[in-house]
Amino acid sequence: MVNIVVVGSSSMDLVVTAGKRPKAGETLIGKSFQTVPGGKGANQAVAAARLGATASMVGRIGKDAFGKEILENLKKNGVSVNCVEPVPHVSSGTAHITIAEGDNSIIVVKGANDEVTPTYVEKADSILKDADMILVQQEIPEETVEYIADFCKQFNKKWLLNPAPAREISDNVIESATYLTPNEHEFTVMFGEENRSEVLTRYPNKLLITEGKNGVRYFNGECEEVVPSYVVEAMDTTGAGDTFNAAFAVAIAEGKAIKEAIQFANRAASISITKFGAQGGMPTRKEVEGSL
């Protein structure tokens, strides 16, 4: 079993489904409302554990009812929570999700996730040193991502940055990361109006642009390649990207070639969107391998 450590966010997702999204000033009647554990970091940790990895989470929660539920959910899914501590003065993170017209819109309130500081992560250095792959996202402070970049350079650790939500990223982080997995919007925020193919060529087998139903684009050292996604009937796309990132990290840590790892991750992500909830549809290893 490979050892995956996730440094990132956890939250409670407050999910509304509706026939369409409201316009400014408009009130609509929704179809349903649910609360489900989420956060990009927690999602990726749960996905990695379900795919057979030893998964550990480094994060913060509020000292509130949502925090207790988040923690219990991680434990239930086999994620080590020795480095998930409550913050007494801040609420747990929340994500406010509207599912409508076959896709989702999300507003994130970071809450305790802003307390995943470099000083806090430093306490988990021994766990990070044992990781086969470290996963990081951007629902935590920018300086913490910089800390991970420097740590991984110093100790020659493989790490993947899922640059979501989108923000500008320093050259230090880009150069340090073993893998970068932006979607098309995040790519534009990172690289502006630079030519996509030229940027891909600059980062062979490192920069993977996820293009939803169109697949994943990368430069393999010789040519630009698109690994196609799997066509399924989508129920809820929330968490598909997190499933992809975790599955890719697990496959790479196990020694799979990059194209094979992307195929594995694409299949896992496609399964995840056939069920409700960011974590609710995340597949087991058996489900993915049985459908490849």
Side-chain angles (χ1 to χ4, degrees), residues 208-224:
L208 316 177
I209 304 174
T210 59
E211 300 179 352
K213 64 182 180 181
N214 294 324
V216 177
R217 187 181 302 271
Y218 75 110
F219 183 74
N220 64 17
E222 297 180 353
C223 63
E224 194 171 308

Side-chain angles (χ1 to χ4, degrees), residues 169-196:
I169 299 173
S170 71
D171 291 341
N172 177 51
V173 169
I174 292 174
E175 296 302 328
S176 169
T178 315
Y179 300 101
L180 294 163
T181 59
N183 63 22
E184 293 168 284
H185 167 67
E186 292 151 5
F187 173 87
T188 300
V189 173
M190 289 171 65
F191 297 105
E193 298 302 316
E194 287 192 69
N195 179 273
R196 182 180 64 185

Side-chain angles (χ1 to χ4, degrees), residues 40 44 135 160-162 181 240-250 265:
K40 297 191 72 63
Q44 292 178 21
L135 288 181
L160 182 155
L161 175 63
N162 174 211
T181 59
D242 297 327
T243 303
F244 173 87
N245 280 279
F248 177 79
V250 170

Side-chain angles (χ1 to χ4, degrees), residues 121-290:
V121 174
E122 187 176 9
K123 297 191 294 183
D125 277 3
S126 61
I127 292 172
L128 295 171
K129 288 175 184 176
D130 288 337
D132 296 307
M133 180 73 76
I134 298 169
L135 288 181
V136 186
Q137 322 77 37
Q138 296 191 148
E139 291 175 342
I140 57 176
E142 185 176 352
E143 56 267 27
T144 304
V145 179
E146 293 283 353
Y147 175 84
I148 293 294
D150 292 338
F151 177 91
C152 290
K153 278 196 295 187
Q154 181 180 353
F155 294 100
N156 195 29
K157 304 301 296 184
K158 290 183 179 180
W159 73 290
L160 182 155
L161 175 63
N162 174 211
R167 65 187 180 212
E168 291 186 9
I169 299 173
S170 71
D171 291 341
N172 177 51
V173 169
I174 292 174
E175 296 302 328
S176 169
T178 315
Y179 300 101
L180 294 163
T181 59
N183 63 22
E184 293 168 284
H185 167 67
E186 292 151 5
F187 173 87
T188 300
V189 173
M190 289 171 65
F191 297 105
E193 298 302 316
E194 287 192 69
N195 179 273
R196 182 180 64 185
S197 294
E198 290 178 2
V199 177
L200 284 168
T201 303
R202 198 156 73 231
Y203 300 107
N205 296 310
K206 170 176 182 166
L207 178 61
L208 316 177
I209 304 174
T210 59
E211 300 179 352
K213 64 182 180 181
N214 294 324
V216 177
R217 187 181 302 271
Y218 75 110
F219 183 74
N220 64 17
E222 297 180 353
C223 63
E224 194 171 308
E225 188 166 359
V226 177
V227 181
S229 60
Y230 292 80
V231 179
V232 297
E233 186 174 343
M235 175 181 287
D236 180 4
T237 58
T238 310
D242 297 327
T243 303
F244 173 87
N245 280 279
F248 177 79
V250 170
I252 288 290
E254 291 175 346
K256 288 182 172 60
I258 190 166
K259 184 174 181 179
E260 185 183 4
I262 294 171
Q263 290 170 332
F264 178 82
N266 278 349
R267 190 62 186 126
S270 73
I271 294 171
S272 77
I273 67 175
T274 62
K275 301 176 185 177
F276 180 80
Q279 296 175 15
M282 288 176 170
T284 63
R285 184 61 173 256
K286 185 177 180 180
E287 286 178 293
V288 178
E289 292 184 338

